[in-house]
Amino acid sequence: MFLAFCSENTVCQNFVDLEYSQERRIINKLRRYELDSLDFFLTSTRINKEIKEVLRWKYESLLYGNQKDFPIKIDRKRKSNFHSAIINLYYGDYLENKGAEKYLSLEYYKAAEGFAVLNNDMLLACEALKRIISQINRREKDNNFSDSLHKYERFLFDDFERNLFHFYKTRTLSLIESKPYIQEFKEGLRIAQEKNFKVLIAFYYKLLGVKYEYYADVIEGGQNIDENYKTSLNYYDRALTIYRSYSYEFAKKQRAGILLNKGINFHVQTKYDSAYYYYSLAEDIIPQTDNYHLLLLNLWSARTYEQELKYDYAYWCRQNESDLRKKDAKEKTDINFAEIDRKHFVEENKRLLLKEQQKVSANRNWLIAISVALLLGMGIAVLLQKNTTKKRQLAEQEVLLKQQRVENLLKEQELVSIDAMIAGQEKERQRVANELHDDLGSLMATIQLHFDHAKVSKKDPALKNAQKLLEQAYQKVRGIAHHKNSGVMSNQGLLPAIQKMARTISETNALQVSVEDFGMGERMENSLELTIFRMVQELVANAIKHAEATHVDIHLTQHEENLNIIVADNGKGFEHAQRNENDTGMGLTNVEKRIEHLEGSFTIDSILGKGTSILIDIPV
């Protein structure tokens, strides 16, 4: 959830390159508030004169506060480069202390950030993004905070920036979620102490003091609420010790805020004398321009006086508070106007940019117009040629379509002929089977009856042989009749007929036929079952006659409204392109056409020496 502090990574190592310029070394010291050794650099002749003035202004503003105007004139047309990015960065800092104009500072920070991100300048990126985060954090109804924090995280190039990022992120989460996050702040403090980042240590001390005071009744680890208030005061004192070691203006403002916090802490504990003492210490060092701390000072002083029934003093403080709130309201009004000015500034920049783009576009448009005129002439010629070619292609396609229509008619006629042939074959099989069974079978049964009643010796070998041969002939005729009639499956169905055919063939021991089925529960229309049986019968017959196979597998699978049939043998296989299309009986070609007529699919997979698999899918 929180940033893990790591050793220097490859991105961080790029900072070595950044430190080769004097300007960057100064910025590096300014960001850490290491101001004691900057005089040498600020007198260097190797630094650009304009940038030196800007850097010196920033240095003196940290020492004495912003008492001077910005040293150079800001040119909005300034080119985007490193020096311009520095000027935009510190001009934003200048506006931060100009009352309502501070909201204009955001645009200058963003200008510096744009250069830094484009050039992967991590030092300037961090400096700009820290300021943007601070600026956005003060705005209400601004949803860009998390985006800026995420950008800042991308450019963290050393432990100082990583520790500061942890501080910002944890503080923000604490405010959003109304939780103390004590352990997370202590972890950040531990790392800051390891690295000896004095300013960051002071940040953590002050914030931990605030958390122990504000959440005194919910923080675990203290003996009681009073213990947590004491811990808060202890952290405030540690922060004050560090800030007293600095003579800088920024440290003076921090001390004023901490002294005021201590006074509030004693007020909450009803130790009013101590509260007055720290209010007075804070009042001595709060600048008259610091409206926020002055308002807090008068607000809490009034509350303390009211608790002790000192209403005269309380009234005086309330009057000051009212005046400061009016001043604050006026500043907010000015800020609203400044925000309008900022938007106007943005729109003006967009207008200037658009104007430049329009000039470029105008020149480009003339060039495009000439090019289009040339291309138009060439295009017309190409279109005419394409039109002629297309007409010729359409005529050729019309001829092909006519040929296809003729071929389709012939194919339909051929399918009708196949249907008639199959119907005739089935009719003839039925007739022959009936005659064999009813006529010839009955006749042979009658002959057998006469033999049984003949007035001759029953032990005559000739008679016995004649009866035996007659019985064999009768069984053969009966078998032929049943075989010829096996296509009539009105009483059995498709699956039993195929299984019976497989058993009959397998009994010869010359070829083993196995049948596997899945989902074959319901009967289909009788004519469809008959057609499918004849196709399977033809495929098995082909395996017997041509494949020299020893085993044939028949798989039937019915899924919803589709029937899948696979007939696979382990025979010698064949070249699909060279198969004989004049096979007797139905033949593979006729099987394939029959399946097309049923709107199914027919696939042959045959490998020489490995066997043949035929796959059929039919909608049922």
Side-chain angles (χ1 to χ4, degrees), residues 15 98 219 264 278 313 325 389 426 486 509:
F15 184 68
K98 295 291 285 183
I219 293 176
I264 295 170
Y278 285 104
Y313 293 110
R325 289 192 185 278
T389 304
E426 292 301 325
S486 60
N509 294 323

Side-chain angles (χ1 to χ4, degrees), residues 568-583:
D569 65 63
N570 62 349
K572 62 183 181 180
F574 63 91
E575 288 287 348
H576 178 53
Q578 299 176 0
R579 76 172 194 234
N580 183 11
E581 296 186 357
N582 298 314
D583 293 334

Side-chain angles (χ1 to χ4, degrees), residues 212-425:
Y212 269 98
E213 177 184 336
Y214 189 79
Y215 296 100
D217 57 338
V218 297
I219 293 176
E220 296 180 0
Q223 295 179 6
N224 49 43
I225 294 177
D226 291 338
E227 186 69 24
N228 285 332
Y229 283 130
K230 289 179 182 178
T231 303
S232 169
L233 291 170
N234 181 265
Y235 278 117
Y236 285 147
D237 288 337
R238 293 183 190 183
L240 283 171
T241 301
I242 294 176
Y243 285 126
R244 286 193 186 105
S245 67
Y246 291 107
S247 59
Y248 315 146
E249 183 68 18
F250 88 92
K252 183 179 177 182
K253 285 182 69 174
Q254 293 294 330
R255 290 204 309 273
I258 295 170
L259 290 169
L260 183 55
N261 285 353
K262 289 189 71 174
I264 295 170
N265 188 312
F266 281 115
H267 168 89
V268 174
Q269 297 183 70
T270 67
K271 297 177 179 179
Y272 300 126
D273 289 340
S274 297
Y276 291 139
Y277 173 72
Y278 285 104
Y279 291 157
S280 63
L281 291 179
E283 185 178 13
D284 290 340
I285 59 176
I286 295 177
Q288 290 304 307
T289 57
D290 190 350
N291 200 65
Y292 173 75
H293 282 114
L294 287 173
L295 195 153
L296 283 180
L297 174 65
N298 282 279
L299 171 65
W300 283 97
S301 294
R303 290 179 177 178
T304 306
Y305 285 130
E306 287 166 357
Q307 289 295 321
E308 291 203 301
L309 307 180
K310 298 177 180 180
Y311 294 115
D312 291 341
Y313 293 110
Y315 177 78
W316 182 78
C317 291
R318 289 294 183 186
Q319 282 293 108
N320 287 339
E321 178 193 348
S322 177
D323 292 340
L324 288 167
R325 289 192 185 278
K326 290 177 183 178
K327 182 181 177 182
D328 188 58
K330 182 179 182 304
E331 183 172 320
K332 286 182 178 178
T333 302
D334 293 340
I335 284 171
N336 290 333
F337 283 113
E339 182 71 5
I340 294 171
D341 289 342
R342 185 187 69 81
K343 290 179 179 178
H344 175 72
F345 168 71
V346 173
E347 293 299 324
E348 180 67 16
N349 280 348
K350 288 182 179 178
R351 189 187 66 78
L352 292 173
L353 180 61
L354 181 61
K355 190 174 181 180
E356 290 296 324
Q357 290 175 341
Q358 286 173 344
K359 288 181 181 179
V360 174
S361 296
N363 294 332
R364 189 186 300 118
N365 289 340
W366 279 107
L367 181 61
I368 291 172
I370 295 171
S371 302
V372 167
L374 292 173
L375 291 172
L376 190 60
M378 296 173 63
I380 292 171
V382 170
L383 287 174
L384 288 172
Q385 183 182 2
K386 285 186 175 181
N387 189 40
T388 304
T389 304
K390 196 167 186 178
K391 286 181 178 179
R392 186 178 70 252
Q393 290 174 343
L394 288 172
E396 292 174 353
Q397 288 176 358
E398 185 65 28
V399 173
L400 289 173
L401 286 172
K402 288 180 180 179
Q403 290 177 353
Q404 288 176 358
R405 282 196 287 270
V406 172
E407 289 175 358
N408 288 337
L409 288 172
L410 292 173
K411 188 174 181 181
E412 288 294 327
Q413 186 61 40
E414 187 177 5
L415 287 172
V416 171
S417 300
I418 291 170
D419 288 341
M421 181 187 70
I422 293 172
Q425 287 176 347

Side-chain angles (χ1 to χ4, degrees), residues 7-125:
S7 60
E8 299 295 328
N9 55 30
T10 53
V11 176
C12 305
Q13 290 173 359
N14 292 338
F15 184 68
V16 175
D17 300 329
L18 300 179
E19 287 195 316
Y20 285 132
S21 69
Q22 295 279 23
E23 293 96 331
R24 293 179 188 277
R25 292 189 183 185
I26 294 173
I27 294 170
N28 189 33
K29 287 184 173 293
L30 289 172
R31 75 187 176 101
R32 293 172 180 259
Y33 302 97
E34 297 170 356
L35 310 183
D36 295 336
S37 58
L38 281 178
D39 286 336
F40 168 76
F41 292 111
L42 290 170
T43 57
S44 172
T45 58
R46 295 172 56 190
I47 302 177
N48 176 285
K49 183 178 179 182
E50 187 179 56
I51 300 302
K52 185 190 295 185
E53 291 299 313
V54 172
L55 293 172
R56 180 171 288 282
W57 172 88
K58 178 61 180 176
Y59 165 69
E60 291 179 353
S61 71
L62 291 173
L63 286 176
Y64 314 117
N66 279 335
Q67 300 175 353
K68 295 182 179 179
D69 289 335
F70 203 67
I72 66 171
K73 183 179 179 182
I74 297 298
D75 182 5
R76 291 184 179 181
K77 295 181 180 179
R78 186 181 294 274
K79 294 180 180 179
S80 294
N81 55 38
F82 175 71
H83 286 165
S84 296
I86 295 175
I87 291 170
N88 282 325
L89 188 71
Y90 291 136
Y91 187 66
D93 289 352
Y94 170 71
L95 294 177
E96 280 285 331
N97 293 278
K98 295 291 285 183
E101 292 182 64
K102 63 185 173 185
Y103 274 78
L104 291 172
S105 63
L106 186 62
E107 297 306 320
Y108 291 95
Y109 292 151
K110 286 184 176 180
E113 178 213 357
F115 166 82
V117 171
L118 185 64
N119 294 275
N120 198 34
D121 191 322
M122 290 169 292
L123 176 64
L124 282 182

